[in-house]
């Protein structure tokens, strides 16, 4: 009993805010995204390990452009300026990176999970 603390508030908005998180059945009103569920964390870590391995297999320039755009959030113009490539070349590099990563993930991640 000592561990339990009574919380009293004259402000009904706190109770309403908490009630809004749940539906009439007591379940979350908005489902918890799969990536936030504890059961999926191991699978997420395994997927990220495969993705990192796939990125490391890309040609150096391709991997650099992909990382700058997708993980670091650089705009295309900034990537072009920093690496000295044209906008068209940058788009081509990104397209090739995504296609190579897709193939690698299908082979090493999805194929592995499917038992292929």
């Amino acid at each position: 009993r000592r561990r339990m603390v009574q919380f009293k508030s004259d402000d009904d908005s706190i109770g309403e805010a908490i009630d809004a998180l749940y539906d009439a059945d007591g379940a979350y009103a908005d489902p918890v995204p799969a990536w936030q569920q504890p059961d999926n964390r191991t699978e997420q870590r395994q997927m990220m390990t495969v993705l990192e391995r796939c990125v490391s297999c890309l040609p150096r320039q391709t991997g650099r452009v992909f990382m700058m755009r997708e993980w670091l959030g650089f705009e295309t113009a900034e990537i072009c300026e920093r690496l000295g490539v044209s906008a068209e070349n940058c788009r081509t590099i990104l397209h090739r990176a995504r296609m190579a990563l897709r193939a690698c993930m299908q082979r090493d991640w999805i194929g592995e999970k499917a038992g292929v």
Side-chain angles (χ1 to χ4, degrees):
R1 283 184 79 72
R2 288 184 186 172
R3 293 183 196 176
M4 298 185 72
V5 176
Q6 292 286 334
F7 177 76
K8 294 183 182 180
S9 172
D10 295 333
D11 187 8
D12 289 335
S13 64
I14 294 172
E16 291 171 6
I18 292 172
D19 290 341
L21 296 174
Y22 303 96
D23 63 15
D25 297 329
Y28 283 111
D30 294 323
V32 178
W35 61 269
Q36 287 183 341
Q37 296 175 10
D39 296 344
N40 296 335
R41 291 189 193 264
T42 300
E43 186 174 351
Q44 183 183 14
R45 276 194 300 271
Q46 291 169 346
M47 185 202 65
M48 289 304 295
T49 300
V50 173
L51 179 60
E52 288 172 3
R53 188 175 64 234
C54 289
V55 169
S56 71
C57 292
L58 292 173
R60 187 170 182 227
Q61 180 81 339
T62 304
R64 181 181 296 147
V65 170
F66 179 81
M67 294 291 288
M68 289 175 79
R69 177 72 178 138
E70 301 301 336
W71 283 357
L72 300 176
F74 283 84
E75 294 296 325
T76 303
E78 190 173 2
I79 295 169
C80 294
E81 182 181 322
R82 288 182 179 229
L83 300 180
V85 298
S86 69
E88 182 63 31
N89 190 15
C90 185
R91 284 190 291 273
T92 301
I93 291 169
L94 285 169
H95 174 74
R96 289 178 180 168
R98 290 176 182 130
M99 293 300 104
L101 290 173
R102 179 181 180 196
C104 182
M105 291 298 291
Q106 284 180 330
R107 181 188 67 238
D108 295 353
W109 174 246
I110 297 170
E112 182 180 298
K113 290 179 65 161
V116 175

